[in-house]
Amino acid sequence: MADQSSGAAADLHEAIYLLQHRGQDAAGIATCASGGKIHIRKKPGLAAQVFQNGAKLVDLKGSMGIAHLRYPTAGTSANAEAQPFWVNSPYGICFAHNGNLINAPELKRYLDFEVHRHINTESDSELMLNIFAAELNELKKARVNNHDLFASLTGMYARCRGAWACTAMLAGYGVMGFRDAYGIRPLILGSRSTQNGTDYMLASESIALDQLGFSNFRNIQPGEAVIIAKGEAPVFHQVAPRKDYAPDMFEYVYFARADSVIDGISVYRSRQRMGSRLAAKVLEILGPEAVKEIDVVIPVPETSSTAAASVAHALQKPYCRAFVRNPYIFRTFIMPDQDSRRMGVRRKMSAIDVEIKDRNILLVDDSIVRGTTSRGVISMARDCGAKKIYAASCSPEITHAHIYGIDLASPHEMVAYSRDSQKIATNLGADCVIFQTLADLKEACAEVAREAGFDEPHNFEVGVFCGTYVTPVVDGYLEELEMVRGKDRRLDPSNGLVVEKTENTGGT
């Protein structure tokens, strides 16, 4: 905060409420008070539970801080893996990480045998923190400056492989944010003018900044870092050569809020374009006569609602929200096990029978992963008396593992694994299933960027759809990932981070 006597915790707390959709497994906030004293509260659970509806913020003193939300991967929640992580040496570092490292075994060996740093969890976020700490420790200085921090980040980037958007806080010094050299995971900076100077905040999505009065958004670029030292303006530096600009497509398809803008692309408008292109695909696959028989277009709540409205408009069909979602039940794909996900489908939504009975319906979903939700929705529609059920997905068939921080499923758990469209339809209980093409999905997002005046991004991380990942994949990594999931363990690709720090300009 620009006012060094004020607290950052309230804004951080509000921000993680705005980003709660990104993870419900654990929440945490770390702040730094005068004298460099770090205060941390982190626990499994929703933000409201962890911070007791704000009652616990009084213990989080300090004008700068970072916060994090985590969702469960394979296995159960662990208090030890809630973030932010921190180490006391060197200098006192707090760390929040959104992403996933794909060379964790190599990093563990390096930390153990060469720099002798102890790792206490299975989280690759803790690995990354300790790699950075080891680089800083090599300086052997009593105090560091921006140049030292940037140089240590360069050393960390040379060792770590994968995708990340991270924030870190150095006790008594300031905060920093940095993004992988491919720009896979999102990170946005905003500023807010106050009577005491300028406040700064970084977040995974623009909505967290916008709702708190921040503006002048700037996307952290691939391989770029920003440092906001106490009482100073942000300083940017390219800490690693940029290798691509390929945001994760799943942010636009599903993960991000519709009212966010990520890398210059309105999530809402990208979903509108997905719907328009999907409508053309539906017409191509079903043909004009079958499309004529469709009585209504129905979204599978909630993420697909925007695209479904575009499908309905393009096909000149009525649009009806015939499935009602219970807002107090969270996303099933981030539930910790398949039994929970299956039960969660009926808990999280119900059908309006009169809008479905004796009608041919076109169900529109953002994606179909395991098929758990689609299967449940189609079953409910059958129970309501639907005549024909066509299912359309705004994204292509998902057939490969996500390796950059959104834990979808093992390939063999995916409904599209080793199945063609007809077999998928049979598995789901639909009369027909239609998938968006990968080319149309990518263009739906790229054209929104161009219309906003940006030449980039025009490439995207789409490995889940085709098996071709943006980054090189370490030999044996995919097999190791499958084995770890099979053993009901977690690699901890975590997500959803926010950080606040401000410049004290002494007035205005």
Side-chain angles (χ1 to χ4, degrees):
M1 307 292 289
D3 181 359
Q4 299 296 308
S5 64
S6 65
D11 278 350
L12 291 167
H13 182 246
E14 184 67 21
I16 59 176
Y17 272 98
L18 293 164
L19 296 181
Q20 185 74 82
H21 61 285
R22 298 186 69 90
Q24 294 92 47
D25 191 46
I29 294 176
T31 60
C32 185
S34 59
K37 185 173 179 60
I38 292 173
H39 303 270
I40 300 179
R41 182 175 178 82
K42 57 177 184 174
K43 291 177 63 179
L46 302 176
Q49 297 166 329
V50 173
F51 299 102
Q52 296 181 11
N53 296 312
K56 291 297 182 180
L57 298 183
V58 67
D59 300 324
L60 297 170
K61 297 176 171 50
S63 60
M64 61 181 175
I66 62 177
H68 187 270
L69 294 161
R70 183 185 184 278
Y71 72 78
T73 62
T76 57
S77 304
N79 183 58
E81 293 181 8
Q83 297 190 42
F85 284 109
W86 83 288
V87 292
N88 66 348
S89 177
Y91 314 117
I93 309 166
C94 291
F95 196 91
H97 168 223
N98 166 14
N100 189 44
L101 301 181
I102 60 177
N103 64 329
E106 171 190 332
L107 297 177
K108 284 181 180 178
R109 287 191 295 270
Y110 168 74
L111 289 169
D112 188 10
F113 294 107
E114 295 190 40
V115 295
H116 314 304
R117 298 189 71 93
H118 175 69
I119 302 301
N120 199 51
T121 72
E122 293 299 314
S123 172
D124 56 358
S125 307
E126 188 187 12
L127 287 177
M128 199 171 193
L129 165 59
N130 278 274
I131 294 292
F132 177 56
E135 292 291 331
L136 272 177
N137 203 49
E138 290 297 310
L139 299 172
K140 303 190 185 305
K141 294 175 66 174
R143 297 289 183 270
V144 291
N145 54 37
N146 285 356
H147 175 78
D148 298 327
L149 294 172
F150 286 136
S152 296
L153 285 174
T154 297
M156 185 198 74
Y157 273 61
R159 294 190 180 277
C160 296
R161 300 178 194 174
W164 58 83
C166 300
T167 55
M169 178 171 65
L170 202 67
Y173 188 90
V175 297
M176 64 189 81
F178 43 94
R179 193 176 184 186
D180 67 78
Y182 298 86
I184 298 171
R185 303 255 45 91
L187 189 60
I188 306 161
L189 173 70
S191 61
R192 179 179 65 187
S193 296
T194 72
Q195 291 182 341
N196 297 296
T198 304
D199 298 343
Y200 296 100
M201 178 175 269
L202 286 151
S204 295
E205 294 185 34
S206 64
I207 185 62
L209 307 175
D210 190 51
Q211 291 294 95
L212 287 167
F214 288 80
S215 58
N216 302 315
F217 298 160
R218 184 193 187 286
N219 294 295
I220 305 304
Q221 296 299 296
E224 185 180 50
V226 58
I227 296 175
I228 311 165
K230 186 167 61 176
E232 303 291 336
V235 177
F236 301 89
H237 185 70
Q238 194 73 26
V239 295
R242 170 179 152 158
K243 296 180 180 178
D244 205 337
Y245 194 173
D248 190 339
M249 180 59 76
F250 230 73
E251 291 284 351
Y252 305 102
V253 168
Y254 180 86
F255 211 60
R257 280 179 52 153
D259 46 1
S260 284
V261 177
I262 295 177
D263 288 304
I265 299 172
S266 162
V267 176
Y268 180 81
R269 289 194 173 180
S270 72
R271 290 174 184 169
Q272 282 185 315
R273 303 305 166 81
M274 290 175 202
S276 298
R277 289 173 179 272
L278 181 59
K281 191 67 177 176
V282 169
L283 187 59
E284 175 192 330
I285 296 296
L286 295 183
E289 292 306 311
V291 168
K292 240 183 240 184
E293 294 178 357
I294 294 173
D295 295 306
V296 64
V297 176
I298 300 173
V300 177
E302 287 288 332
T303 318
S304 64
S305 298
T306 303
S310 291
V311 171
H313 177 77
L315 296 179
Q316 297 183 331
K317 297 293 179 181
Y319 169 79
C320 176
R321 296 172 67 95
F323 288 95
V324 178
R325 183 180 181 274
N326 180 349
Y328 302 102
I329 300 293
F330 290 102
R331 294 173 164 183
T332 54
F333 97 79
I334 59 177
M335 289 181 176
D337 56 69
Q338 181 66 3
D339 287 340
S340 297
R341 285 187 289 271
R342 192 176 295 112
M343 292 173 61
V345 174
R346 293 253 176 184
R347 286 175 181 161
K348 79 175 183 178
M349 69 178 76
S350 58
I352 303 175
D353 298 33
V354 69
E355 299 297 336
I356 297 172
K357 186 178 181 180
D358 297 328
R359 305 180 91 179
N360 298 321
I361 66 174
L362 174 61
L363 291 173
V364 177
D365 207 346
D366 51 79
S367 58
I368 302 174
V369 186
R370 295 176 177 88
T372 308
T373 297
S374 300
R375 209 173 289 113
V377 168
I378 290 167
S379 175
M380 282 190 275
R382 294 285 185 203
D383 292 344
C384 290
K387 290 197 294 186
K388 285 188 177 180
I389 302 174
Y390 304 105
S393 169
C394 292
S395 59
E397 298 92 326
I398 297 173
T399 52
H400 294 77
H402 193 293
I403 65 173
Y404 298 122
I406 300 175
D407 191 53
L408 298 180
S410 298
H412 73 272
E413 297 176 310
M414 297 170 178
V415 71
Y417 183 75
S418 298
R419 292 187 180 100
D420 60 19
S421 293
Q422 185 52 55
K423 288 181 179 177
I424 295 171
T426 300
N427 182 278
L428 298 178
D431 293 282
C432 181
V433 62
I434 301 110
F435 289 94
Q436 183 95 268
T437 68
L438 184 54
D440 279 346
L441 178 61
K442 292 168 74 172
E443 183 57 25
C445 294
E447 70 181 2
V448 175
R450 290 195 300 271
E451 289 170 4
F454 300 104
D455 295 329
E456 297 179 292
H458 51 74
N459 190 27
F460 298 90
E461 164 46 41
V462 293
V464 292
F465 306 116
C466 61
T468 301
Y469 300 98
V470 170
T471 70
V473 180
V474 177
D475 288 344
Y477 174 74
L478 294 175
E479 293 77 10
E480 174 69 17
L481 182 61
E482 186 72 12
M483 184 180 70
V484 168
R485 283 174 172 149
K487 290 180 178 178
D488 202 31
R489 293 172 55 202
R490 281 168 292 171
L491 286 183
D492 190 41
S494 46
N495 67 71
L497 53 89
V498 289
V499 57
E500 181 160 358
K501 171 68 184 68
T502 57
E503 173 190 0
N504 184 351
T505 58
T508 79

